[in-house]
Amino acid sequence: LPVMSDECRTMGAWKVGVLALICSVTLGLYYAYDVPAALPDTFIALASGSTASFELLYSVYAIPNIALPLLGGVLADHTFGLH
């Protein structure tokens, strides 16, 4: 077996740590994103709203999650991408 240098071990540890952090953040974001889906009855009772008003609110909440990744991808390509 080849012997790994200290630099390779350190880089491998960083990669595993960053991967674990990304997985944790992604899991948390998906959980937080889906929490309002469980609340329509509570929202309607507390806000004296209707199903349509809850669905409109949920749509307004979800639209930035469609646009921002596209904008972030374009910005990342132009800022950090290959030129």
Side-chain angles (χ1 to χ4, degrees):
L1 293 170
V3 177
M4 291 178 59
S5 67
D6 289 337
E7 183 178 330
C8 288
R9 284 191 192 114
T10 304
M11 184 59 74
W14 269 99
K15 288 180 181 180
V16 169
V18 169
L19 180 62
L21 179 66
I22 289 171
C23 291
S24 299
V25 169
T26 302
L27 178 69
L29 289 175
Y30 277 118
Y31 177 76
Y33 177 75
D34 286 335
V35 165
L39 301 174
D41 296 332
T42 306
F43 171 79
I44 292 168
L46 292 176
S48 300
S50 65
T51 304
S53 63
F54 176 78
E55 290 173 358
L56 176 64
L57 182 65
Y58 194 71
S59 296
V60 169
Y61 168 74
I63 286 173
N65 294 317
I66 297 168
L68 290 178
L70 295 173
L71 179 64
V74 169
L75 182 65
D77 283 346
H78 287 290
T79 304
F80 304 113
L82 297 175
H83 296 285

Coordinates of all heavy atoms in Angstrom, one line a residue:
L1 N 0.8 -1.2 0.0 CA 0.0 0.0 0.0 C 0.9 1.2 0.0 O 1.9 1.3 0.7 CB -0.9 0.0 1.2 CG -2.0 -1.0 1.3 CD1 -2.6 -1.0 2.7 CD2 -3.0 -0.8 0.3
P2 N 0.5 2.2 -0.8 CA 1.3 3.5 -0.8 C 1.1 4.2 0.5 O 0.0 4.2 1.2 CB 0.7 4.3 -1.9 CG -0.7 3.7 -2.2 CD -0.6 2.3 -1.7
V3 N 2.1 4.9 0.9 CA 2.1 5.7 2.2 C 1.6 7.1 1.8 O 2.0 7.7 0.9 CB 3.5 5.8 2.8 CG1 3.5 6.7 4.0 CG2 4.0 4.4 3.1
M4 N 0.6 7.5 2.6 CA 0.0 8.9 2.4 C 0.8 9.9 3.2 O 1.2 9.7 4.3 CB -1.5 8.9 2.9 CG -2.4 8.1 2.0 SD -4.1 8.1 2.6 CE -4.5 9.8 2.6
S5 N 1.0 11.0 2.5 CA 1.7 12.1 3.2 C 0.7 12.8 4.2 O -0.5 12.6 4.1 CB 2.2 13.1 2.2 OG 1.1 13.8 1.6
D6 N 1.3 13.6 5.1 CA 0.5 14.4 6.0 C -0.5 15.3 5.3 O -1.6 15.6 5.7 CB 1.3 15.1 7.0 CG 2.0 14.2 8.0 OD1 1.5 13.0 8.2 OD2 3.1 14.5 8.6
E7 N 0.0 15.9 4.2 CA -0.8 16.8 3.5 C -2.0 16.2 2.9 O -3.1 16.7 2.9 CB 0.1 17.5 2.4 CG -0.7 18.5 1.6 CD 0.2 19.2 0.5 OE1 1.4 19.2 0.7 OE2 -0.4 19.5 -0.5
C8 N -1.8 14.9 2.4 CA -3.0 14.2 1.8 C -4.0 13.8 2.9 O -5.2 13.9 2.7 CB -2.5 12.9 1.1 SG -1.7 13.2 -0.4
R9 N -3.5 13.4 4.1 CA -4.4 13.1 5.2 C -5.2 14.3 5.6 O -6.4 14.3 5.9 CB -3.6 12.6 6.4 CG -3.1 11.2 6.2 CD -2.6 10.6 7.5 NE -1.9 9.4 7.2 CZ -0.6 9.2 7.4 NH1 0.2 10.1 7.9 NH2 -0.1 8.0 7.1
T10 N -4.5 15.5 5.7 CA -5.2 16.7 6.1 C -6.3 17.1 5.0 O -7.4 17.5 5.4 CB -4.2 17.9 6.2 OG1 -3.2 17.5 7.2 CG2 -4.9 19.1 6.7
M11 N -5.9 17.0 3.8 CA -6.9 17.3 2.7 C -8.0 16.4 2.7 O -9.2 16.8 2.6 CB -6.2 17.3 1.4 CG -7.1 17.7 0.2 SD -7.7 19.4 0.4 CE -6.3 20.3 0.0
G12 N -7.8 15.1 3.0 CA -8.9 14.1 3.1 C -9.8 14.4 4.2 O -11.0 14.3 4.1
A13 N -9.2 14.8 5.4 CA -10.1 15.2 6.5 C -10.9 16.4 6.2 O -12.1 16.4 6.6 CB -9.2 15.4 7.7
W14 N -10.4 17.4 5.5 CA -11.1 18.5 5.2 C -12.3 18.2 4.2 O -13.4 18.7 4.4 CB -10.2 19.6 4.4 CG -9.6 20.5 5.4 CD1 -8.4 20.5 5.9 CD2 -10.3 21.7 5.9 NE1 -8.2 21.6 6.7 CE2 -9.3 22.3 6.7 CE3 -11.5 22.2 5.8 CZ2 -9.6 23.5 7.4 CZ3 -11.8 23.4 6.5 CH2 -10.9 24.0 7.3
K15 N -12.0 17.3 3.3 CA -13.1 16.9 2.3 C -14.2 16.2 3.0 O -15.4 16.4 2.8 CB -12.5 16.0 1.2 CG -11.6 16.8 0.2 CD -11.1 15.8 -0.8 CE -10.2 16.5 -1.8 NZ -9.7 15.7 -2.8
V16 N -13.9 15.3 3.9 CA -14.9 14.6 4.7 C -15.7 15.5 5.6 O -16.9 15.5 5.6 CB -14.3 13.4 5.5 CG1 -15.3 12.9 6.5 CG2 -13.7 12.4 4.6
G17 N -15.0 16.5 6.2 CA -15.7 17.5 7.0 C -16.6 18.4 6.3 O -17.8 18.6 6.7
V18 N -16.2 18.8 5.1 CA -17.0 19.7 4.3 C -18.2 18.9 3.7 O -19.3 19.4 3.7 CB -16.2 20.3 3.1 CG1 -17.0 21.0 2.1 CG2 -15.2 21.3 3.7
L19 N -18.0 17.7 3.3 CA -19.1 16.9 2.8 C -20.1 16.7 3.9 O -21.3 16.8 3.7 CB -18.6 15.5 2.3 CG -19.6 14.5 1.8 CD1 -20.3 15.1 0.6 CD2 -19.0 13.2 1.5
A20 N -19.7 16.4 5.1 CA -20.6 16.2 6.3 C -21.4 17.5 6.5 O -22.6 17.5 6.8 CB -19.9 15.7 7.5
L21 N -20.7 18.6 6.5 CA -21.4 19.9 6.7 C -22.4 20.2 5.6 O -23.5 20.6 6.0 CB -20.3 21.0 6.7 CG -20.9 22.4 6.9 CD1 -21.5 22.6 8.3 CD2 -19.8 23.5 6.7
I22 N -22.1 20.0 4.4 CA -23.0 20.2 3.3 C -24.2 19.3 3.4 O -25.4 19.7 3.2 CB -22.3 20.0 1.9 CG1 -21.3 21.1 1.7 CG2 -23.3 19.9 0.8 CD1 -20.4 20.9 0.5
C23 N -24.0 18.0 3.8 CA -25.2 17.1 4.0 C -26.1 17.6 5.1 O -27.3 17.5 5.0 CB -24.7 15.7 4.2 SG -23.9 14.9 2.8
S24 N -25.5 18.0 6.2 CA -26.2 18.5 7.4 C -27.0 19.7 7.0 O -28.2 19.9 7.4 CB -25.3 18.8 8.5 OG -24.6 17.6 8.9
V25 N -26.4 20.7 6.3 CA -27.1 21.9 6.0 C -28.2 21.6 5.0 O -29.3 22.1 5.1 CB -26.1 22.9 5.4 CG1 -26.8 24.1 4.7 CG2 -25.2 23.4 6.4
T26 N -28.0 20.7 4.0 CA -29.0 20.4 3.1 C -30.2 19.7 3.8 O -31.4 20.1 3.5 CB -28.5 19.4 2.0 OG1 -27.4 20.1 1.3 CG2 -29.5 19.1 0.9
L27 N -30.0 18.8 4.7 CA -31.0 18.2 5.4 C -31.8 19.2 6.2 O -33.1 19.2 6.2 CB -30.5 17.1 6.3 CG -31.5 16.4 7.2 CD1 -32.4 15.5 6.3 CD2 -30.8 15.6 8.3
G28 N -31.2 20.1 6.9 CA -31.8 21.1 7.6 C -32.7 22.1 6.8 O -33.8 22.4 7.1
L29 N -32.1 22.4 5.6 CA -32.9 23.3 4.7 C -34.1 22.6 4.2 O -35.2 23.3 4.1 CB -32.0 23.8 3.6 CG -30.9 24.8 4.0 CD1 -30.0 25.1 2.8 CD2 -31.5 26.0 4.5
Y30 N -34.0 21.4 3.8 CA -35.2 20.7 3.3 C -36.3 20.5 4.4 O -37.4 20.7 4.2 CB -34.9 19.3 2.7 CG -34.4 19.4 1.3 CD1 -33.1 19.0 1.0 CD2 -35.2 19.8 0.3 CE1 -32.7 19.0 -0.3 CE2 -34.8 19.9 -1.0 CZ -33.5 19.5 -1.3 OH -33.1 19.5 -2.6
Y31 N -35.8 20.3 5.6 CA -36.8 20.2 6.7 C -37.5 21.5 7.0 O -38.7 21.6 7.1 CB -36.0 19.8 8.0 CG -36.9 19.7 9.2 CD1 -37.8 18.7 9.4 CD2 -36.9 20.7 10.2 CE1 -38.7 18.6 10.5 CE2 -37.7 20.7 11.3 CZ -38.6 19.6 11.4 OH -39.4 19.6 12.5
A32 N -36.7 22.6 7.0 CA -37.3 23.9 7.2 C -38.2 24.4 6.1 O -39.2 25.0 6.3 CB -36.2 25.0 7.4
Y33 N -37.8 24.0 4.9 CA -38.6 24.3 3.7 C -40.0 23.7 3.7 O -41.0 24.2 3.3 CB -37.9 23.9 2.4 CG -38.6 24.2 1.2 CD1 -38.8 25.5 0.7 CD2 -39.2 23.2 0.4 CE1 -39.5 25.8 -0.5 CE2 -39.9 23.5 -0.7 CZ -40.1 24.7 -1.2 OH -40.8 25.0 -2.3
D34 N -40.0 22.4 4.2 CA -41.3 21.7 4.2 C -42.1 21.8 5.5 O -43.3 21.3 5.5 CB -41.0 20.2 4.0 CG -40.6 19.9 2.6 OD1 -41.0 20.7 1.7 OD2 -39.9 18.9 2.3
V35 N -41.7 22.5 6.5 CA -42.4 22.7 7.7 C -43.8 23.4 7.4 O -44.8 22.9 8.0 CB -41.6 23.5 8.8 CG1 -42.5 24.0 9.9 CG2 -40.6 22.6 9.3
P36 N -43.9 24.4 6.6 CA -45.2 25.1 6.4 C -46.2 24.2 5.8 O -47.4 24.4 6.0 CB -44.9 26.3 5.5 CG -43.5 26.6 5.8 CD -42.8 25.3 6.0
A37 N -45.8 23.1 5.1 CA -46.8 22.2 4.5 C -47.6 21.5 5.5 O -48.7 21.0 5.2 CB -46.0 21.2 3.6
A38 N -47.1 21.4 6.7 CA -47.8 20.7 7.8 C -48.8 21.6 8.6 O -49.4 21.1 9.5 CB -46.9 20.0 8.7
L39 N -48.8 22.9 8.2 CA -49.5 23.8 9.1 C -50.8 24.4 8.5 O -51.3 25.5 9.0 CB -48.6 25.0 9.4 CG -47.3 24.6 10.2 CD1 -46.4 25.8 10.3 CD2 -47.7 24.0 11.5
P40 N -51.4 23.9 7.4 CA -52.6 24.7 6.9 C -53.7 24.8 7.8 O -54.4 25.8 7.9 CB -52.9 23.9 5.6 CG -52.4 22.5 5.8 CD -51.1 22.8 6.6
D41 N -54.0 23.7 8.6 CA -55.2 23.8 9.5 C -54.9 24.8 10.6 O -55.8 25.6 11.0 CB -55.4 22.4 10.1 CG -55.9 21.4 9.0 OD1 -56.5 21.8 8.0 OD2 -55.6 20.2 9.2
T42 N -53.7 24.8 11.1 CA -53.4 25.8 12.2 C -53.4 27.2 11.6 O -53.9 28.1 12.3 CB -52.0 25.5 12.7 OG1 -51.9 24.1 13.1 CG2 -51.6 26.4 13.9
F43 N -52.9 27.4 10.5 CA -52.8 28.7 9.8 C -54.3 29.2 9.6 O -54.6 30.4 10.0 CB -52.1 28.7 8.5 CG -52.2 30.0 7.7 CD1 -51.5 31.1 8.1 CD2 -53.1 30.1 6.7 CE1 -51.6 32.3 7.4 CE2 -53.2 31.3 6.0 CZ -52.5 32.4 6.3
I44 N -55.1 28.4 9.1 CA -56.5 28.8 8.8 C -57.2 29.1 10.1 O -58.0 30.1 10.2 CB -57.2 27.7 8.0 CG1 -56.6 27.6 6.6 CG2 -58.7 28.0 7.9 CD1 -57.0 26.4 5.8
A45 N -57.0 28.4 11.2 CA -57.7 28.6 12.4 C -57.2 29.9 13.1 O -58.0 30.7 13.6 CB -57.5 27.4 13.4
L46 N -55.8 30.1 13.1 CA -55.3 31.2 13.8 C -55.4 32.5 13.0 O -55.6 33.6 13.6 CB -53.8 31.0 14.1 CG -53.5 29.9 15.2 CD1 -52.0 29.7 15.3 CD2 -54.2 30.3 16.5
A47 N -55.3 32.5 11.7 CA -55.3 33.7 10.9 C -56.7 34.0 10.3 O -56.8 34.9 9.6 CB -54.3 33.6 9.8
S48 N -57.6 33.2 10.6 CA -59.0 33.3 10.1 C -58.9 33.4 8.5 O -59.6 34.2 7.9 CB -59.7 34.5 10.6 OG -59.8 34.4 12.0
G49 N -58.0 32.6 8.0 CA -57.8 32.6 6.5 C -58.5 31.5 5.9 O -59.3 30.8 6.5
S50 N -58.3 31.3 4.6 CA -58.9 30.3 3.8 C -57.8 29.4 3.3 O -56.6 29.7 3.4 CB -59.7 30.8 2.7 OG -58.9 31.5 1.8
T51 N -58.2 28.3 2.7 CA -57.2 27.4 2.1 C -56.5 28.1 0.9 O -55.3 28.0 0.8 CB -57.9 26.1 1.5 OG1 -58.6 25.5 2.6 CG2 -56.9 25.2 0.9
A52 N -57.2 28.9 0.2 CA -56.6 29.7 -0.9 C -55.6 30.7 -0.4 O -54.5 30.8 -1.0 CB -57.7 30.4 -1.7
S53 N -55.8 31.3 0.7 CA -54.9 32.3 1.2 C -53.6 31.6 1.7 O -52.5 32.1 1.5 CB -55.5 33.2 2.3 OG -55.8 32.4 3.4
F54 N -53.8 30.4 2.3 CA -52.6 29.6 2.7 C -51.8 29.2 1.5 O -50.6 29.3 1.5 CB -53.0 28.4 3.6 CG -51.8 27.6 3.9 CD1 -51.0 28.0 5.0 CD2 -51.5 26.4 3.3 CE1 -49.9 27.2 5.3 CE2 -50.4 25.6 3.6 CZ -49.6 26.0 4.6
E55 N -52.4 28.7 0.5 CA -51.7 28.3 -0.7 C -51.0 29.4 -1.4 O -49.9 29.2 -1.9 CB -52.7 27.6 -1.7 CG -53.2 26.2 -1.1 CD -54.3 25.6 -2.0 OE1 -54.7 26.2 -3.0 OE2 -54.7 24.5 -1.6
L56 N -51.6 30.6 -1.4 CA -51.0 31.8 -2.0 C -49.7 32.1 -1.1 O -48.7 32.4 -1.7 CB -51.9 33.0 -2.0 CG -51.3 34.3 -2.5 CD1 -50.9 34.1 -3.9 CD2 -52.3 35.4 -2.3
L57 N -49.9 32.1 0.2 CA -48.7 32.4 1.0 C -47.6 31.4 0.8 O -46.4 31.7 0.8 CB -49.2 32.4 2.5 CG -48.1 32.7 3.5 CD1 -47.6 34.2 3.4 CD2 -48.7 32.5 4.9
Y58 N -48.0 30.1 0.7 CA -47.0 29.1 0.5 C -46.3 29.2 -0.9 O -45.1 29.0 -1.0 CB -47.6 27.7 0.6 CG -46.7 26.6 0.8 CD1 -45.9 26.4 1.9 CD2 -46.5 25.6 -0.3 CE1 -45.1 25.3 2.1 CE2 -45.6 24.6 -0.1 CZ -44.9 24.4 1.0 OH -44.0 23.4 1.2
S59 N -47.0 29.6 -1.9 CA -46.4 29.9 -3.2 C -45.5 31.0 -3.2 O -44.4 31.0 -3.7 CB -47.5 30.1 -4.2 OG -48.4 29.0 -4.4
V60 N -45.8 32.1 -2.5 CA -45.0 33.3 -2.4 C -43.7 32.9 -1.6 O -42.6 33.3 -1.9 CB -45.7 34.4 -1.7 CG1 -44.7 35.6 -1.3 CG2 -46.8 35.0 -2.6
Y61 N -43.8 32.0 -0.6 CA -42.7 31.5 0.1 C -41.8 30.6 -0.7 O -40.6 30.6 -0.6 CB -43.3 30.7 1.3 CG -42.3 29.9 2.1 CD1 -41.4 30.5 2.9 CD2 -42.3 28.5 2.0 CE1 -40.5 29.7 3.7 CE2 -41.4 27.7 2.7 CZ -40.5 28.3 3.5 OH -39.6 27.6 4.2
A62 N -42.4 29.9 -1.7 CA -41.6 28.9 -2.5 C -40.9 29.6 -3.7 O -39.9 29.0 -4.2 CB -42.5 27.8 -2.9
I63 N -41.5 30.6 -4.3 CA -41.0 31.2 -5.5 C -39.5 31.6 -5.4 O -38.7 31.3 -6.3 CB -41.8 32.4 -6.0 CG1 -43.2 31.8 -6.5 CG2 -41.2 33.2 -7.0 CD1 -44.2 32.8 -6.9
P64 N -39.0 32.3 -4.3 CA -37.6 32.6 -4.3 C -36.7 31.4 -4.3 O -35.6 31.4 -4.8 CB -37.4 33.3 -2.9 CG -38.8 33.9 -2.6 CD -39.8 32.9 -3.2
N65 N -37.2 30.2 -3.9 CA -36.4 29.0 -3.9 C -36.3 28.5 -5.3 O -35.5 27.5 -5.6 CB -37.0 27.9 -3.0 CG -36.9 28.4 -1.5 OD1 -35.9 28.8 -1.1 ND2 -38.0 28.2 -0.8
I66 N -37.0 29.0 -6.3 CA -36.8 28.7 -7.7 C -35.9 29.6 -8.3 O -35.0 29.2 -9.1 CB -38.2 28.7 -8.4 CG1 -39.1 27.6 -7.8 CG2 -38.0 28.5 -9.9 CD1 -40.6 27.7 -8.2
A67 N -36.0 30.9 -8.0 CA -35.2 31.9 -8.7 C -33.8 32.1 -8.2 O -32.9 32.2 -8.9 CB -36.0 33.3 -8.6
L68 N -33.7 32.0 -6.9 CA -32.3 32.3 -6.3 C -31.3 31.2 -6.7 O -30.1 31.6 -6.9 CB -32.5 32.4 -4.8 CG -33.2 33.6 -4.3 CD1 -33.3 33.6 -2.8 CD2 -32.5 34.9 -4.8
P69 N -31.6 29.9 -6.8 CA -30.5 29.0 -7.2 C -30.1 29.3 -8.7 O -28.9 29.2 -9.0 CB -31.1 27.6 -7.2 CG -32.2 27.8 -6.1 CD -32.7 29.2 -6.2
L70 N -31.0 29.7 -9.5 CA -30.6 30.1 -10.9 C -29.7 31.3 -10.9 O -28.7 31.4 -11.5 CB -31.9 30.4 -11.7 CG -32.8 29.2 -12.0 CD1 -34.0 29.6 -12.7 CD2 -32.0 28.1 -12.8
L71 N -30.1 32.4 -10.1 CA -29.3 33.6 -10.0 C -28.0 33.3 -9.4 O -26.9 33.8 -9.9 CB -30.1 34.6 -9.2 CG -29.4 35.9 -9.0 CD1 -29.2 36.7 -10.3 CD2 -30.1 36.8 -8.0
G72 N -28.0 32.5 -8.3 CA -26.7 32.1 -7.7 C -25.8 31.3 -8.6 O -24.6 31.5 -8.6
G73 N -26.3 30.4 -9.5 CA -25.5 29.7 -10.4 C -24.9 30.6 -11.4 O -23.7 30.4 -11.8
V74 N -25.7 31.5 -12.0 CA -25.1 32.4 -13.0 C -24.0 33.3 -12.3 O -23.0 33.5 -12.9 CB -26.3 33.3 -13.6 CG1 -25.7 34.4 -14.4 CG2 -27.2 32.4 -14.4
L75 N -24.3 33.8 -11.1 CA -23.3 34.6 -10.4 C -22.1 33.8 -10.1 O -21.0 34.3 -10.4 CB -23.9 35.2 -9.1 CG -23.1 36.1 -8.3 CD1 -22.8 37.4 -9.1 CD2 -23.7 36.4 -7.0
A76 N -22.2 32.6 -9.7 CA -21.0 31.8 -9.4 C -20.2 31.5 -10.7 O -19.0 31.5 -10.7 CB -21.5 30.5 -8.7
D77 N -20.9 31.2 -11.8 CA -20.2 31.0 -13.1 C -19.4 32.2 -13.5 O -18.3 32.1 -14.0 CB -21.2 30.5 -14.1 CG -21.6 29.1 -14.0 OD1 -21.0 28.4 -13.2 OD2 -22.6 28.7 -14.7
H78 N -20.0 33.4 -13.4 CA -19.4 34.6 -13.9 C -18.3 35.0 -12.9 O -17.3 35.6 -13.3 CB -20.4 35.7 -14.1 CG -21.2 35.5 -15.3 ND1 -20.7 35.6 -16.6 CD2 -22.5 35.2 -15.5 CE1 -21.7 35.3 -17.5 NE2 -22.8 35.1 -16.8
T79 N -18.5 34.8 -11.6 CA -17.5 35.3 -10.6 C -16.4 34.3 -10.4 O -15.2 34.7 -10.4 CB -18.2 35.5 -9.3 OG1 -19.3 36.4 -9.5 CG2 -17.3 36.1 -8.3
F80 N -16.7 33.0 -10.2 CA -15.7 32.0 -9.9 C -15.4 31.0 -11.0 O -14.5 30.2 -10.8 CB -16.2 31.2 -8.6 CG -16.5 32.1 -7.5 CD1 -17.8 32.2 -7.0 CD2 -15.5 32.8 -6.9 CE1 -18.1 33.0 -5.9 CE2 -15.8 33.7 -5.8 CZ -17.1 33.8 -5.3
G81 N -16.2 31.0 -12.1 CA -16.0 30.1 -13.1 C -14.8 30.3 -14.0 O -14.1 31.2 -13.8
L82 N -14.6 29.4 -14.9 CA -13.5 29.5 -15.8 C -13.8 30.6 -16.8 O -14.9 30.7 -17.3 CB -13.3 28.2 -16.5 CG -12.9 27.0 -15.7 CD1 -12.8 25.7 -16.5 CD2 -11.5 27.3 -15.0
H83 N -12.8 31.4 -17.1 CA -13.0 32.5 -18.1 C -12.3 32.2 -19.4 O -11.4 31.6 -19.5 CB -12.5 33.8 -17.5 CG -13.2 34.2 -16.3 ND1 -14.5 34.7 -16.3 CD2 -12.9 34.1 -15.0 CE1 -14.9 35.0 -15.1 NE2 -13.9 34.6 -14.2

